[in-house]
Amino acid sequence: MGDIAVVGIDCAFPGAAGVQAYWDLLMRGGDGIGPVPAQRWEARDFPAVSGSGGFIDDADVFDSDFFSVTPREAAAMDPHHRLLLPCAWRALEDSGRAPGDLAGTETGVFIGVMGGEWGRLTMSDLARVTPLLGAGSSAGMAANRISYHFNFTGPSLAVDTACSSSLVAVHLAAGSLLTGECDTALAGGVNVVLSPSLGMVYGQLGLAASDGRCKPFSADADGIGRSDGVGLVVLRRLDDALADGQRIYAVLRGSAVNQDGRSNGVIAPNRWSQQRVLNSAYRRAGVTPDRVAFVEAHGTGTVLGDAIECAALGAVHGIPRETPCAVGSVKGNLGHTEGAAGIAGLIKTVLALHHRIVPASLYADRENPQLRLGERGMRLLKSPMRLPRGESLAGVSSFGMGGTNAHAVLGSAPRIPVAAGARTGAARDAVGVFTVSGDTPEALRRNLAAQADAVARRPRGGAAALCRSSNRIKTGLPYRFAAPVRDTDELVAELRRAAAPQDAAGSGGRPWGRPVVAFLFTGQGSEYPGMTAGLHRDSPAYRRHLAEADEALAAHLGTSVRELILSGDERVHRPEFAQPALFAVGYALARTLTSLGITPAAVLGHSLGEYAAAVTAGALSLDEAARLVVRRGALMGELPADGGMIAAATGPDELAELLAGEPGTVVAALNGPADTVLSGPLEALERIGRELTGRGVRVKRLPVSHAFHSPLMAPAAAGLRTEPVRCGPPTVPVASTRHGRMLRHDLMDAGYWADQIEEPVLMDTALGALVADVAPTHLIEIGPRGTLLQIAARGGRAAAAEFLHPAPGAEATGKELAATVAALYRGGLDPLWEELYAPEHRVVEALSPYVFSSAQRHWDRQAFVHSAQPQPQPAPPQAAGPVAVPAVTDPPVAEPPGAGTGAHSDDPVLLAVVQAVTEVGGYPPERVVREARFYEDLGFDSVMIMQLKNQVEARLPRVGEVSVQQMLPALRSVGSLAAFLDDMLLARSA
């Protein structure tokens, strides 16, 4: 049998709500046994059943809104189903994946569940049977609901082999993975003690513990105590898990299932079959029993069951070995979780292998001598047992009442070497983006607070690996939070700030689409020695792409522009070096962003910036642009440095008279309505500057070496005009600052680049064309210093856009790049997060699981039932009191409380639709707003749509009969359905 990795876990058991709580319970030797909650049944009414057992706290809590389940359907659902859905979500998160990433995949779901108690309790009154109860009470739906809500298309099945159900489910899941039927599998089981009926059966068979506690292998063992439990593991083929870098808790080496056949009775255990299933599992795992360090036994604490199991274990493990095989049973801590018993034992074993310590077995202090464990090569664990270095092996047994036996062999996870550099100072100081998402603003705040508390409990240190894990796990829900951080202290502070009720950022906002991004490439004048050095230090992606540009430029420049940039060389101000250096920075920044999944809808370059913009748009190759930029810089560097440029806060019309008096001085750039750049001889610019200052116009001299975009550039333009240029039409729209319009199919040929040298930069009209064409939500400046975003802000051309700059100046580091990615994620982008992190940070870190809302409870409640007629009352019981069962019906048409008044009272059609939705879904009327979507927000399905149709026809008789086919296009929202029905009324009235 091939190896299967356990990569994710979630569980809830009595006294242990979550994986860490479960491990803590085991390690401290605690138990989760307590009195029967009155919610289940009145213990005094059933004296034949113990008044104690293992019960999950808040088993009635279910966040139905999260899973888009209507209140009425939630009330009709089997509690087993309600426990499984959040457990599945958290287990998938624990595997290092956002659950939504698996939607549409052939992920398998294998669920062990015993019996159908909910169905017996709810479906026995035929007068109250509804479609929702029919679907809600099916044991098979336990797996199918997970597949449906998560959109998994792989095998989906529920397994009932009584107490061995969940371990058999794991066995089947492993087989499905090994045959290639699925690539990921959820496997486990669930049990909820809904009534005392099975406890009465155990009592009549002499198998029930008087105090409701299982005492496995103890001299005090007197039977079974029943308990709740839910547990799921995420399984993958070991090679796949290793290739994807997932955390591996343990490895399933092999498993086997068999049957007792015809034995002493259908519910009597069979020693020989138990021996055979052990030997079969070891054979399939390729191990011998002497290598197994410990066995998590079935261990129910019944006298006969313990004796038979120990005899079978001894026959297999009682062989020469260095130390006896340790044995224990988690049922001493939890009780017998029946359909979830196998997964309870398997999770305990997986955690023991992961932590390399086996918890003691409760009640081991009074070992039953009649079991002769020592003689049989075994020992009951009276204290925790540390596992030695290297691989450790363990077995897990689970035996069904009807004779279906299962045994699994697990091994410790393979050691994975720590990536080089993971413990260096640079690794600790690296920046990342921590992400959290929720299905509502309140859920986002709740989970921000939970993450803050969890991170605060960790040792202080770097946060990059935590951030990377959050990007993989916590990004799939509508309301988004993201913050760039370096260390855990900073992270905790950001999380707590955002979780605070008064902080607007905490709600995160819900993006309704993807951001529309435009890149603005800065031109000459923004260069400085050492530009982007901080980003180069922090960002591996930027380092890689700057090296690409450096290599392309070096072939023509004859020196390394990267070394010139990072060394702080003052030559960076000379055109022959400034232009290649700025091109390299622009190219590397743009490529870094696109490698992160930030794709521009359009690009704009200011003067020299058009070269990197052209490469990003696909109009020029990197090599061709590098050759042209080096040639351009060399041609300009040969010109005398006797010119300059000034920026004036006024328009060209106000400058016309001054320019006419200064021949050779021209408008070099029109950046905005009152934002003009002049170029020409220095003396002429000085005179114009003094005159403008005297008129109260702001004037600023620009840090450039030449009079760019002026007649003084004519020799350079002529030299470039003769260059052959290999170019093509852009694949991304270009806002041309040469023409002041969008380029779509135009070629950026030699003539374009020559004209671009001496003609004015039409920034304002180009930006206006870009905004009109693509309506950007975000403008990102691509350059080493902020200039274009300031120009855009002054001109007011893109007032609705958010401005971002990943390298805004000399103090910039990788944090500004991370902040850019964070802002775009909050705006609806799903970045390619891996590019943000160095390889040593691409490891899985444990994060606190998603915290679901606990506000909604569903257990024997009639809050959502609005019946126009009183229901017949059952006759009072003659003996034992009744077990609490839900009352969920589809009542006749009735007015919900308050439905006749309020926000919709002036629109009778909308009011009728709201009342119908309230009736079918069980929602309070205030939840059914005009904008509510039937499928995404209200959780309607095809059955509910049919019921909605009937309710609408009953409430709006003038509409007449409406077919579902007619309604379907209008089922976008409550309001769209009301509008459709309004139109039908008008048409039929006409």
Side-chain angles (χ1 to χ4, degrees):
M1 178 174 176
D3 288 344
I4 299 296
V6 180
V7 297
I9 308 173
D10 190 67
C11 62
F13 294 110
V19 176
Q20 187 58 50
Y22 183 38
W23 182 246
D24 291 344
L25 178 82
L26 296 174
M27 287 304 296
R28 72 171 187 269
D31 74 41
I33 308 305
V36 176
Q39 184 189 57
R40 307 294 178 99
W41 66 83
E42 289 293 340
R44 64 176 179 272
D45 294 335
F46 298 92
V49 178
S50 172
S52 297
F55 301 96
I56 293 177
D57 294 334
D58 298 325
D60 58 339
V61 168
F62 176 56
D63 192 348
S64 58
D65 288 342
F66 183 92
F67 292 101
S68 298
V69 174
T70 68
R72 190 181 301 282
E73 183 178 14
M77 280 172 65
D78 189 328
H80 294 80
H81 304 178
R82 297 198 299 253
L83 287 175
L84 282 166
L85 285 171
C87 186
W89 184 276
R90 290 188 295 255
L92 289 167
E93 279 197 337
D94 190 58
S95 74
R97 301 283 296 275
D101 289 349
L102 291 170
T105 67
E106 294 182 340
T107 296
V109 182
F110 302 81
I111 301 298
V113 59
M114 177 173 159
E117 204 164 36
W118 180 258
R120 292 195 298 273
L121 293 172
T122 59
M123 299 286 283
S124 56
D125 184 352
L126 300 183
R128 305 181 77 85
V129 169
T130 70
L132 293 179
L133 279 176
S137 62
S138 165
M141 292 287 284
N144 302 158
R145 277 197 187 274
I146 296 173
S147 298
Y148 169 76
H149 284 287
F150 288 77
N151 191 23
F152 297 156
T153 61
S156 180
L157 54 106
V159 180
D160 187 354
T161 59
C163 313
S164 60
S165 298
S166 54
L167 196 59
V168 172
V170 171
H171 169 80
L172 294 174
S176 182
L177 285 164
L178 292 174
T179 60
E181 196 173 31
C182 60
D183 294 325
T184 300
L186 270 167
V190 61
N191 195 63
V192 185
V193 180
L194 294 172
S195 80
S197 57
L198 191 54
M200 295 172 70
V201 172
Y202 289 157
Q204 292 166 7
L205 290 169
L207 301 176
S210 59
D211 59 358
R213 284 175 163 80
C214 297
K215 309 169 195 67
F217 313 120
S218 169
D220 299 323
D222 62 345
I224 292 170
R226 299 185 66 206
S227 293
D228 299 341
V230 59
L232 291 171
V233 292
V234 181
L235 304 176
R236 299 199 71 201
R237 290 180 291 271
L238 178 60
D239 290 345
D240 292 344
L242 289 170
D244 288 349
Q246 290 180 286
R247 174 186 54 194
I248 299 170
Y249 284 100
V251 176
L252 178 61
R253 297 285 301 274
S255 60
V257 172
N258 75 358
Q259 230 286 329
D260 286 349
R262 191 167 183 86
S263 58
N264 291 336
V266 70
I267 62 172
N270 185 321
R271 167 188 169 177
W272 313 110
S273 289
Q274 291 181 15
Q275 287 179 210
R276 284 193 293 271
V277 81
L278 290 167
N279 283 320
S280 178
Y282 296 142
R283 184 173 61 253
R284 298 189 73 195
V287 303
T288 53
D290 61 299
R291 294 179 56 198
V292 176
F294 68 99
V295 171
E296 171 63 21
H298 186 58
T300 56
T302 62
V303 175
L304 179 62
D306 283 2
I308 289 177
E309 183 172 12
C310 287
L313 285 169
V316 175
H317 290 278
I319 55 179
R321 51 189 297 158
E322 292 183 10
T323 57
C325 179
V327 65
S329 171
V330 76
K331 293 180 180 65
N333 307 89
L334 304 180
H336 194 348
T337 54
E338 299 172 337
I343 198 65
L346 183 121
I347 291 175
K348 171 191 170 182
T349 305
V350 165
L351 293 175
L353 290 166
H354 178 66
H355 293 292
R356 307 203 66 79
I357 186 169
V358 186
S361 188
L362 210 58
Y363 303 109
D365 54 335
R366 281 181 47 78
E367 181 179 325
N368 184 352
Q370 296 182 8
L371 300 177
R372 307 193 337 264
L373 291 175
E375 298 175 30
R376 290 168 164 163
M378 294 180 293
R379 66 185 178 103
L380 195 57
L381 279 181
K382 297 177 172 61
S383 61
M385 179 182 77
R386 291 205 170 274
L387 297 173
R389 295 174 63 86
E391 185 185 34
S392 295
L393 296 174
V396 182
S397 289
S398 195
F399 306 140
M401 181 183 288
T404 298
N405 309 305
H407 190 76
V409 183
L410 294 119
S412 48
R415 290 183 62 83
I416 300 172
V418 177
R423 295 190 174 93
T424 65
R428 288 191 295 272
D429 293 338
V431 68
V433 176
F434 195 88
T435 49
V436 183
S437 62
D439 64 312
T440 65
E442 295 76 17
L444 179 58
R445 291 189 193 279
R446 185 170 64 245
N447 280 277
L448 286 166
Q451 293 300 326
D453 292 343
V455 176
R457 291 192 294 268
R458 298 173 65 93
R460 300 166 85 181
L466 273 174
C467 290
R468 185 256 187 185
S469 292
S470 76
N471 304 155
R472 289 175 60 87
I473 300 168
K474 299 291 186 178
T475 52
L477 298 172
Y479 291 86
R480 299 177 169 200
F481 163 87
V485 295
R486 288 189 185 275
D487 57 54
T488 53
D489 286 349
E490 185 182 12
L491 174 55
V492 171
E494 287 286 346
L495 290 167
R496 287 187 171 151
R497 177 194 58 76
Q502 68 273 17
D503 187 88
S507 65
R510 176 177 185 169
W512 293 98
R514 288 175 58 84
V516 179
V517 175
F519 288 178
L520 309 183
F521 291 82
T522 314
Q524 194 166 347
S526 60
E527 72 278 356
Y528 56 89
M531 55 186 175
T532 71
L535 177 61
H536 188 271
R537 181 188 65 244
D538 283 352
S539 171
Y542 182 73
R543 289 195 296 271
R544 185 170 67 252
H545 296 307
L546 186 64
E548 291 171 4
D550 185 45
E551 183 180 0
L553 289 161
H556 309 286
L557 190 62
T559 188
S560 170
V561 76
R562 177 182 59 182
E563 292 179 10
L564 180 136
I565 292 170
L566 300 176
S567 67
D569 195 323
E570 290 292 334
R571 289 182 299 163
V572 77
H573 292 299
R574 290 164 47 183
E576 63 267 34
F577 295 113
Q579 296 191 19
L582 284 170
F583 170 77
V585 167
Y587 169 83
L589 279 172
R591 285 288 291 120
T592 299
L593 292 174
T594 56
S595 70
L596 285 160
I598 303 168
T599 304
V603 298
L604 176 152
H606 194 287
S607 186
L608 174 72
E610 284 204 291
Y611 284 88
V615 176
T616 303
L620 293 177
S621 69
L622 171 60
D623 289 339
E624 187 69 355
R627 181 181 68 82
L628 291 172
V629 167
V630 171
R631 178 63 175 149
R632 184 184 197 264
L635 288 168
M636 291 187 178
E638 294 170 358
L639 299 176
D642 57 355
M645 304 176 82
I646 61 171
T650 187
D653 293 342
E654 290 76 11
L655 295 168
E657 182 181 350
L658 291 173
L659 293 175
E662 296 287 357
T665 304
V666 297
V667 171
L670 292 169
N671 290 331
D675 198 347
T676 308
V677 176
L678 304 181
S679 182
L682 290 174
E683 296 83 0
L685 293 176
E686 285 286 344
R687 290 189 292 271
I688 292 174
R690 285 194 299 271
E691 177 66 26
L692 290 173
T693 301
R695 297 180 185 179
V697 176
R698 293 192 312 277
V699 176
K700 178 183 177 182
R701 182 170 178 175
L702 301 183
V704 296
S705 58
H706 290 72
F708 299 119
H709 300 284
S710 78
L712 296 176
M713 294 291 107
L720 204 60
R721 200 177 300 277
T722 60
E723 288 288 326
V725 176
R726 296 187 301 274
C727 59
T731 56
V732 173
V734 176
S736 168
T737 55
R738 165 66 191 90
H739 296 305
R741 60 176 174 81
M742 301 301 294
L743 302 183
R744 295 191 182 279
H745 305 293
D746 309 66
L747 294 179
M748 302 176 84
D749 54 15
Y752 183 95
W753 296 114
D755 291 343
Q756 192 240 25
I757 289 179
E758 55 184 341
E759 296 296 328
V761 178
L762 304 179
M763 171 71 184
D764 186 46
T765 51
L767 182 58
L770 183 151
V771 171
D773 192 65
V774 302
T777 59
H778 295 77
L779 295 180
I780 302 180
E781 181 154 0
I782 309 295
R785 188 182 311 200
T787 58
L788 299 188
L789 292 180
Q790 295 175 27
I791 289 171
R794 291 196 299 267
R797 287 284 193 180
E802 182 176 352
F803 293 173
L804 302 171
H805 197 166
E811 302 301 317
T813 65
K815 198 164 186 180
E816 289 79 5
L817 172 63
T820 298
V821 179
L824 291 168
Y825 167 72
R826 292 192 299 269
L829 180 75
D830 292 317
L832 302 176
W833 294 103
E834 294 293 279
E835 283 294 302
L836 198 61
Y837 302 98
E840 58 264 28
H841 300 131
R842 297 176 188 175
V843 294
V844 177
E845 291 281 352
L847 297 175
S848 180
Y850 190 84
V851 181
F852 292 91
S853 171
S854 59
Q856 302 168 53
R857 295 175 180 268
H858 307 275
W859 197 295
D860 187 25
R861 303 169 74 195
Q862 302 188 42
F864 304 117
V865 179
H866 310 297
S867 178
Q869 304 171 12
Q871 297 291 335
Q873 299 298 312
Q878 300 301 312
V883 174
V885 297
V888 184
T889 64
D890 282 337
V893 174
E895 298 277 324
T901 61
H904 310 308
S905 57
D906 58 343
D907 186 339
V909 175
L910 179 60
L911 177 61
V913 172
V914 170
Q915 291 173 343
V917 171
T918 300
E919 202 61 55
V920 173
Y923 287 104
E926 61 271 14
R927 281 285 309 278
V928 188
V929 296
R930 183 188 296 269
E931 296 79 12
R933 298 170 297 173
F934 281 101
Y935 304 112
E936 296 91 337
D937 301 327
L938 300 174
F940 270 51
D941 58 21
S942 57
V943 173
M944 294 177 186
I945 295 300
M946 284 297 301
Q947 294 173 329
L948 178 67
K949 168 188 173 307
N950 296 336
Q951 289 281 350
V952 165
E953 290 174 348
R955 292 176 185 280
L956 297 170
R958 289 174 54 212
V959 170
E961 185 174 351
V962 183
S963 70
V964 173
Q965 287 74 19
Q966 286 176 298
M967 281 177 58
L968 282 176
L971 291 174
R972 297 185 303 278
S973 68
V974 170
S976 65
L977 177 59
F980 163 74
L981 294 171
D982 225 354
D983 291 343
M984 285 199 69
L985 276 173
L986 288 172
R988 291 186 178 174
S989 297

